[in-house]
């Protein structure tokens, strides 16, 4: 989950922080506070932090080289040979989803305005995660094996025996369009962090970040990405729990922290928010609650999460993987909310003065840990940005090679050729993203702003179609094609026409509903799928597969 570089803003339509602003706190906010504080960090501490970060980056490259030995074919490169265990599947799915947003975006909004925004968002994400594992994971694993699909576009296309790859190409283009700015924003975050911490030239830092990501992603493929996701999620989990527990003990106990939060009007309320400027409680409308919880709908259409389900070794492992994922999500999101409340007490309102509330995790880490450990925690933030960027690079690469290059350009291409083309696409997409991230023009910024809509775009275009394809025997090709187009169009139009800001309704809601309604109506008013398509459905739901 990634969001563009914008500070928290107060809504003109609601007396609360807007739901859009919560998630616009992208990695790019790794940022101004470091620039302000760098002069207070001793040279010795800077060296310690740098050592931790360099060690982590070397570990990333080593894992990429190690995993490269496992890539014998396209399935290995893009799905890890479908050999992921339940632990790696769960942690990889969650790490590639949450990313640095978990450590910065969510605690930032809770630090600023209290638990309402953060809690309803966390509830929506937790429910979405649970339902995604419950409804989608096992079935899409079976379908993908039956169909020989390694991407979401190829799954939808092969599910309906598409002869001309219309859906496959449209879905692939949607993925490529949204994932390029995603990767650009990740590179920009890395560049700005190094620039702010050590005063390095932004372009130099950007090049280093791009080289590291390209190297281990193009060499190690999915296995390297999934392994790094696991390591990253473990580091984040330990950091969150340790900072929260140790901080509460240092503060004098949970009761003290809660009493401090209660002293701020509306801070602990689920139906009010705390106005940090006026120091009073503001009402939190039901529309905001619905929009926040709607983020959970996005999971059903996230390509980089759904491919994790395709890659698990056995469908029977999904239950254990789901248990791990849900436990991790609940602990992580809960710890983040408590950490933000703790930060408001320990750090005080000083981060608000510089508009750097998203830095509460970093502020507590530097306060409680030796620079070497603090550097390790900062490495986790860098790794979080890298982890999501590498997942997106790999999905973009597979969408081109498997869904455009082989079926349209070179049908006779062998696996080795497709893998090398895939590596080339990783480099090309990363280079394009690099130039976007390094540009200061209005055009590049407009492209970067697409990041805001990507989560909603994927959820709207793919979510209902994926669910209907898995559960409805009567669903057909015409319905799938109409649904993908309707969801994507309504989502983009709703955002860029200003309706999101005017109505306060997150564009994922109308986009998702439009896709669902159009897909069902078109399917029911067109010819039912033939026997071959019905057999695909019946075979795929076979529990023995």
């Amino acid at each position: 989950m990634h969001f563009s570089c914008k500070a928290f803003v107060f809504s003109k339509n609601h007396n609360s922080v807007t739901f859009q602003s919560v998630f616009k706190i992208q990695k790019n906010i790794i940022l101004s506070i470091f620039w302000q504080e760098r002069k207070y960090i001793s040279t010795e501490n800077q060296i310690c932090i740098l050592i931790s970060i360099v060690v982590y980056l070397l570990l990333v490259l080593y894992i990429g080289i190690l995993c490269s030995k496992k890539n014998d074919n396209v399935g290995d490169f893009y799905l890890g040979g479908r050999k992921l265990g339940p632990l790696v599947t769960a942690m990889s799915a969650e790490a590639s989803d949450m990313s640095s947003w978990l450590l910065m975006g969510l605690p930032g909004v809770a630090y600023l305005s209290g638990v309402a925004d953060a809690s309803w968002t966390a509830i929506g994400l937790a429910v979405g995660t649970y339902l995604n594992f419950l409804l989608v994971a096992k079935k899409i694993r079976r379908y993908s094996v039956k169909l020989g699909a390694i991407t979401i576009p190829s799954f939808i296309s092969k599910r309906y025996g598409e002869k001309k790859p219309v859906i496959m190409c449209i879905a692939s283009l949607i993925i490529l369009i949204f994932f390029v700015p995603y990767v650009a924003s990740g590179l920009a975050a890395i560049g700005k962090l190094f620039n702010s911490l050590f005063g390095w030239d932004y372009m130099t830092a950007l090049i280093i970040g791009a080289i590291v990501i390209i190297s281990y992603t193009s060499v190690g493929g999915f296995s390297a990405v999934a392994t790094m996701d696991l390591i990253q999620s473990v580091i984040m989990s330990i950091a969150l729990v340790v900072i929260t527990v140790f901080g509460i003990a240092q503060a004098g106990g949970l009761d003290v922290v809660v009493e401090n939060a209660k002293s701020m009007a509306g801070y602990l309320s689920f139906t009010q928010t705390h106005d940090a400027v006026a120091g009073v409680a503001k009402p939190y409308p039901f529309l905001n609650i619905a929009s926040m919880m709607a983020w959970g709908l996005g999971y059903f259409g996230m390509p980089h999460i759904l491919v994790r389900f395709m890659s698990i070794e056995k469908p029977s492992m999904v239950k254990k993987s789901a248990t791990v994922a849900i436990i991790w999500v609940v602990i992580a999101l809960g710890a983040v909310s408590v950490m933000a409340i703790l930060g408001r007490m320990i750090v005080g309102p000083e981060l608000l003065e510089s508009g750097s509330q998203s830095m509460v995790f970093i502020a507590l880490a530097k306060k409680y840990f030796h620079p070497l450990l603090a550097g390790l925690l900062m490495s986790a933030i860098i790794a979080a940005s890298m982890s999501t960027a590498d997942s997106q690079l790999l999905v973009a690469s597979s969408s081109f090679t498997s869904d455009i290059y082989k079926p349209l350009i070179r049908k006779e291409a062998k696996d080795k050729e497709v893998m090398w083309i895939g590596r080339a696409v990783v480099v090309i997409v990363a280079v394009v993203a690099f130039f976007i991230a390094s540009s200061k023009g209005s055009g590049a910024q407009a492209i970067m702003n697409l990041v805001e809509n990507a989560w909603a775009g994927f959820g709207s275009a793919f979510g209902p179609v994926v669910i209907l394809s898995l559960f409805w025997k009567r669903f057909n090709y015409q319905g799938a094609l109409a649904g993908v187009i309707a969801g994507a169009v309504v989502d983009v139009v709703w955002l860029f026409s200003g309706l999101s800001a005017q109505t306060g309704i997150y564009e994922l809601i109308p986009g998702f509903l439009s896709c669902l309604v159009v897909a069902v109506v078109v399917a029911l008013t067109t010819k039912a799928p033939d026997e071959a398509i019905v057999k695909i459905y019946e075979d795929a739901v076979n529990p023995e597969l």
Side-chain angles (χ1 to χ4, degrees):
M1 187 180 297
H2 312 278
F3 311 93
S4 71
C5 171
K6 291 193 178 179
F8 288 100
V9 294
F10 285 93
S11 171
K12 296 179 181 179
N13 301 320
H14 304 290
N15 294 320
S16 65
V17 179
T18 64
F19 63 87
Q20 293 99 331
S21 65
V22 176
F23 295 96
K24 291 177 182 176
I25 306 170
Q26 231 275 27
K27 306 168 201 99
N28 295 2
I29 51 179
I30 310 177
L31 1 195
S32 60
I33 188 172
F34 279 130
W35 181 256
Q36 298 165 10
E37 293 186 356
R38 184 162 51 86
K39 58 179 178 289
Y40 300 114
I41 302 176
S42 68
T43 302
E44 180 183 349
N45 288 355
Q46 278 193 343
I47 292 174
C48 289
I49 292 173
L50 181 59
I51 288 174
S52 295
I53 292 175
V54 170
V55 169
Y56 197 96
L57 293 179
L58 290 175
L59 174 64
V60 168
L61 292 174
Y62 172 74
I63 289 176
I65 295 173
L66 196 65
C67 291
S68 66
K69 301 175 183 179
K70 303 178 181 179
N71 297 325
D72 295 325
N73 54 54
V74 172
D76 291 338
F77 188 71
Y78 288 125
L79 286 183
R82 300 188 195 269
K83 297 176 182 177
L84 262 62
L87 177 62
V88 178
T89 299
M91 302 304 272
S92 179
E94 297 314 309
S96 63
D97 161 31
M98 297 295 183
S99 189
S100 57
W101 169 87
L102 178 67
L103 302 178
M104 309 193 77
L106 192 62
V109 72
Y111 177 92
L112 171 68
S113 60
V115 302
D117 269 319
S119 296
W120 288 116
T121 302
I123 291 170
L125 294 175
V127 171
T129 297
Y130 173 73
L131 292 177
N132 208 23
F133 270 92
L134 177 67
L135 301 176
V136 176
K138 185 178 292 187
K139 282 184 175 290
I140 203 168
R141 166 59 171 76
R142 288 174 177 159
Y143 265 103
S144 64
V145 171
K146 174 66 179 177
L147 298 172
I150 62 173
T151 66
I152 297 306
S154 64
F155 158 69
I156 298 174
S157 176
K158 292 180 179 181
R159 167 68 175 83
Y160 301 103
E162 187 178 42
K163 295 179 181 179
K164 293 183 178 179
V166 178
I167 291 181
M168 194 155 62
C169 288
I170 292 174
S172 298
L173 289 175
I174 290 174
I175 288 173
L176 288 169
I177 288 171
F178 282 124
F179 271 164
V180 169
Y182 252 146
V183 176
S185 65
L187 292 176
I190 296 168
K192 290 182 179 180
L193 178 56
F194 276 99
N195 174 266
S196 300
L197 273 176
F198 309 112
W200 292 4
D201 177 69
Y202 173 74
M203 287 295 295
T204 301
L206 204 62
I207 291 172
I208 293 174
I211 289 175
V212 172
I213 293 176
I214 290 172
S215 298
Y216 81 86
T217 302
S218 61
V219 172
F222 188 84
S223 295
V225 169
T227 303
M228 282 312 306
D229 286 346
L230 173 62
I231 295 173
Q232 169 212 331
S233 60
V234 170
I235 292 176
M236 285 197 298
S237 302
I238 293 174
L240 284 171
V241 172
V242 170
I243 287 179
T244 302
V245 173
F246 186 75
I248 290 174
Q250 290 292 102
L254 185 60
D255 292 343
V256 176
V257 176
V258 172
E259 284 301 317
N260 178 75
K262 286 181 177 179
S263 67
M264 294 178 283
Y267 202 84
L268 294 181
S269 172
F270 278 68
T271 57
Q272 293 178 314
T273 57
H274 175 69
D275 188 325
V277 177
V280 299
K282 297 288 187 179
Y284 193 73
F286 173 77
L287 200 58
N288 282 36
I289 295 175
S291 292
M292 284 299 194
M293 291 193 67
W295 280 86
L297 294 174
Y299 282 111
F300 300 116
M302 289 300 116
H304 56 297
I305 296 175
L306 297 179
V307 294
R308 264 67 183 176
F309 300 155
M310 294 181 178
S311 67
I312 195 167
E313 187 174 357
K314 299 176 182 178
S316 59
M317 293 180 174
V318 168
K319 184 176 180 180
K320 185 181 295 185
S321 183
T323 302
V324 172
I326 297 304
I327 291 174
W328 187 87
V329 166
V330 171
I331 292 176
L333 294 177
V336 162
S337 298
V338 174
M339 182 191 69
I341 298 172
L342 172 68
R344 190 61 185 267
M345 177 181 176
I346 301 299
V347 182
E350 63 185 65
L351 295 180
L352 299 179
E353 297 172 3
S354 59
S356 302
Q357 53 272 6
S358 57
M359 296 296 104
V360 60
F361 173 83
I362 300 298
L364 291 173
K366 290 194 297 182
K367 181 177 180 65
Y368 289 136
F369 293 92
H370 184 277
L372 278 173
L373 292 178
L376 182 60
L377 298 179
M378 293 176 195
S379 297
I381 296 176
I382 295 175
S385 298
M386 286 185 171
S387 176
T388 308
D390 59 28
S391 296
Q392 293 155 354
L393 278 173
L394 210 56
V395 171
S397 172
S398 64
S399 293
F400 177 80
T401 56
S402 299
D403 304 332
I404 296 177
Y405 179 77
K406 187 166 185 177
L408 295 180
I409 300 175
R410 272 184 59 83
K411 295 181 180 181
E412 69 278 10
K414 303 298 183 183
D415 275 5
K416 289 293 183 182
E417 178 183 341
V418 174
M419 287 170 61
W420 279 110
I421 293 297
R423 291 187 173 102
V425 173
V426 167
V427 175
I428 292 170
V429 172
V431 169
V432 173
F434 170 84
F435 281 109
I436 294 174
S438 61
S439 175
K440 297 180 181 179
S442 58
Q445 186 57 50
I447 295 174
M448 292 282 280
N449 287 342
L450 287 174
V451 175
E452 300 173 18
N453 186 234
W455 181 268
F458 288 134
S460 298
F462 300 142
V465 171
V466 168
I467 294 173
L468 292 172
S469 296
L470 296 175
F471 287 94
W472 191 19
K473 186 190 297 188
R474 174 65 175 77
F475 196 45
N476 61 13
Y477 170 81
Q478 291 84 354
L481 177 60
V484 168
I485 295 173
V489 170
V490 170
D491 176 84
V492 172
V493 170
W494 192 273
L495 176 71
F496 288 101
S497 66
L499 286 172
S500 288
Q502 294 171 21
T503 63
I505 298 175
Y506 180 34
E507 58 268 18
L508 177 55
I509 296 176
F512 190 95
L513 292 176
S514 297
C515 176
L516 180 61
V517 172
V518 169
V520 170
V521 170
V522 171
L524 290 176
T525 54
T526 53
K527 184 181 178 181
D530 58 33
E531 291 183 6
I533 304 304
V534 172
K535 189 176 187 306
I536 290 176
Y537 174 90
E538 293 174 343
D539 289 346
V541 297
N542 181 0
E544 296 180 0
L545 184 62

